[in-house]
Amino acid sequence: MKRSYLLTVLLVVLAVILFAGYKFFGCPAFRKADLGAPAEKESFMSIATGGTSGTYYAVGGALAAAVSKEGKVKCTAETGNASVANVNLIATKGIEIAFVQNDVTYWGVKGEHMFADKGALDNIRAVASLYPEHLQMVITKDSGIQKFTDLKGKRVGVGAPGSGTEGDVQALFDVANLDKSYKDLKKADFLDFAGIADRFKDEQIDAGFVVAGYPTTAIMDLTTTKNNVTLMSFDDEFLKELNAKYPFFVASSIPANTYTGVTEEVKTPAVMAILITHADVPEEDIYNFLTAMYKNIDDIGAAHAKGKEITLDKALDGLTAPLHPGAVKFFTEKGLM
């Protein structure tokens, strides 16, 4: 009796073991793992964007989802402090990918302007160019400003101290032979977009600079609430000289009626929003990132208007840092290099 009971127990245990073995070895995933074959590697990457109300964050979230869709790279979009902070994050390997303007990348790679105290940041690598961001020179209609040199003796918002906007203004002042310490101005206000808008509303400023994709919310608000505010259009010769001296600028334009009361096309310089990484990110990760990004590019365009401007044929436009090897491999395969 006891022997029969033990035999029954042993048979039950054996059946359980055989069933588990079938489940384990019969499933391809488990069989692969049991045979010692390496599981497919999945990489994790974070993308530094901008503030939650800005274009970088919106496009970055859609981009992260598009890349993650393929399964080889899992991406998350993180809020960031825009271009200067993001360049510093990449330089210190604090994040794998970042949205930045190509002008700020230029200053970082050269160790100039806001990066002068750090020296050249030689581990920055370009991933891809995305879309243009326009330098928009907002003026009051009664300021008498018709060309850039008319800023002499005016009250001007030149951007937040050490910002990419101020760096661009410095470049424009250089080409126009205006004093880069702003001595030619009646007053230089070091303000961000919101601060410049407030000065216009209080009628304490004649001109101010905003670098962003159009339409820019702060300018939309101004032109709908203040009928004496407009944009200055740059002449072709100035844009040509600017590009010759600072090649990260491209001549571009803002269509007529983009803003209330601005009924004609506005010619203006633009910089490019680009993606950068650092030299130690593996080649395979950047290659897989770009493969997934461009495969699902329509998803990014569906999520945000600026995403529609991201195209493979313009992926190398305006890059101001050496390409990452993973990007070189990808773009070479696509016939762009």
Side-chain angles (χ1 to χ4, degrees):
M1 184 82 173
K2 185 181 287 187
R3 177 180 292 176
S4 176
Y5 173 76
L6 288 173
L7 182 60
T8 300
V9 171
L10 286 172
L11 287 172
V12 170
V13 171
L14 181 60
V16 170
I17 291 172
L18 287 172
F19 178 75
Y22 171 79
K23 294 289 286 182
F24 184 79
F25 293 108
C27 173
F30 285 116
R31 184 165 63 245
K32 182 177 178 181
D34 181 68
L35 293 174
E40 190 170 343
K41 181 185 175 184
E42 183 179 71
S43 300
F44 295 87
M45 303 175 78
S46 290
I47 308 173
T49 61
T52 54
S53 62
T55 303
Y56 282 0
Y57 185 78
V59 175
L63 194 155
V67 171
S68 298
K69 192 174 180 179
E70 295 303 303
K72 289 187 177 182
V73 179
K74 290 296 182 184
C75 276
T76 56
E78 310 285 350
T79 55
N81 237 346
S83 294
V84 176
N86 287 354
V87 166
N88 283 322
L89 266 177
I90 290 293
T92 57
K93 304 179 187 179
I95 206 158
E96 292 80 24
I97 300 278
F99 277 70
V100 297
Q101 290 173 187
N102 66 340
D103 51 344
V104 176
T105 307
Y106 175 91
W107 306 124
V109 169
K110 294 212 172 259
E112 296 174 0
H113 193 51
M114 68 285 285
F115 301 103
D117 61 332
K118 299 178 184 294
L121 305 177
D122 57 8
N123 68 334
I124 294 174
R125 297 293 180 268
V127 176
S129 189
L130 301 177
Y131 54 81
E133 296 189 323
H134 292 76
L135 188 147
Q136 301 171 71
M137 183 173 161
V138 186
I139 59 174
T140 58
K141 294 177 181 178
D142 57 4
S143 64
I145 299 170
Q146 295 183 336
K147 58 184 184 298
F148 195 81
T149 50
D150 290 338
L151 287 177
K152 288 182 178 181
K154 305 298 183 183
R155 301 166 299 177
V156 182
V158 297
S163 66
T165 298
E166 201 218 343
D168 292 342
V169 172
Q170 290 270 304
L172 268 65
F173 272 53
D174 185 27
V175 172
N177 293 316
L178 293 178
D179 192 294
K180 291 198 291 182
S181 62
Y182 308 120
K183 291 179 181 178
D184 290 324
L185 304 181
K186 180 177 181 179
K187 184 183 180 184
D189 280 324
F190 296 88
L191 302 167
D192 60 14
F193 297 177
I196 286 173
D198 288 341
R199 285 285 198 277
F200 275 111
K201 290 176 182 178
D202 296 336
E203 299 183 357
Q204 296 178 346
I205 200 169
D206 302 302
F209 293 91
V210 173
V211 181
Y214 66 79
T216 305
T217 302
I219 300 176
M220 288 178 68
D221 179 52
L222 272 178
T223 55
T224 54
T225 57
K226 301 281 289 182
N227 60 14
N228 71 326
V229 173
T230 189
L231 297 182
M232 193 196 83
S233 192
F234 289 74
D235 65 73
D236 293 335
E237 187 60 32
F238 186 89
L239 292 173
K240 184 178 179 180
E241 290 178 18
L242 183 64
N243 172 260
K245 192 158 190 177
Y246 295 97
F248 53 78
F249 281 116
V250 295
S252 190
S253 63
I254 299 171
N257 299 309
T258 297
Y259 299 109
T260 302
V262 185
T263 57
E264 296 182 356
E265 179 188 60
V266 176
K267 294 181 180 180
T268 189
V271 295
M272 297 298 293
I274 67 174
L275 294 174
I276 61 170
T277 186
H278 60 78
D280 291 340
V281 173
E283 177 180 328
E284 182 183 12
D285 288 354
I286 297 299
Y287 177 83
N288 289 336
F289 177 96
L290 287 169
T291 300
M293 171 181 155
Y294 285 104
K295 181 177 180 180
N296 299 297
I297 198 70
D298 289 344
D299 292 1
I300 306 173
H304 194 280
K306 276 295 174 185
K308 293 181 173 67
E309 299 181 38
I310 303 172
T311 59
L312 182 60
D313 64 319
K314 295 183 178 179
L316 301 179
D317 290 358
L319 296 179
T320 47
L323 268 176
H324 188 280
V328 172
K329 178 182 177 182
F330 176 80
F331 292 123
T332 299
E333 286 184 3
K334 295 299 180 182
L336 297 181
M337 298 187 69

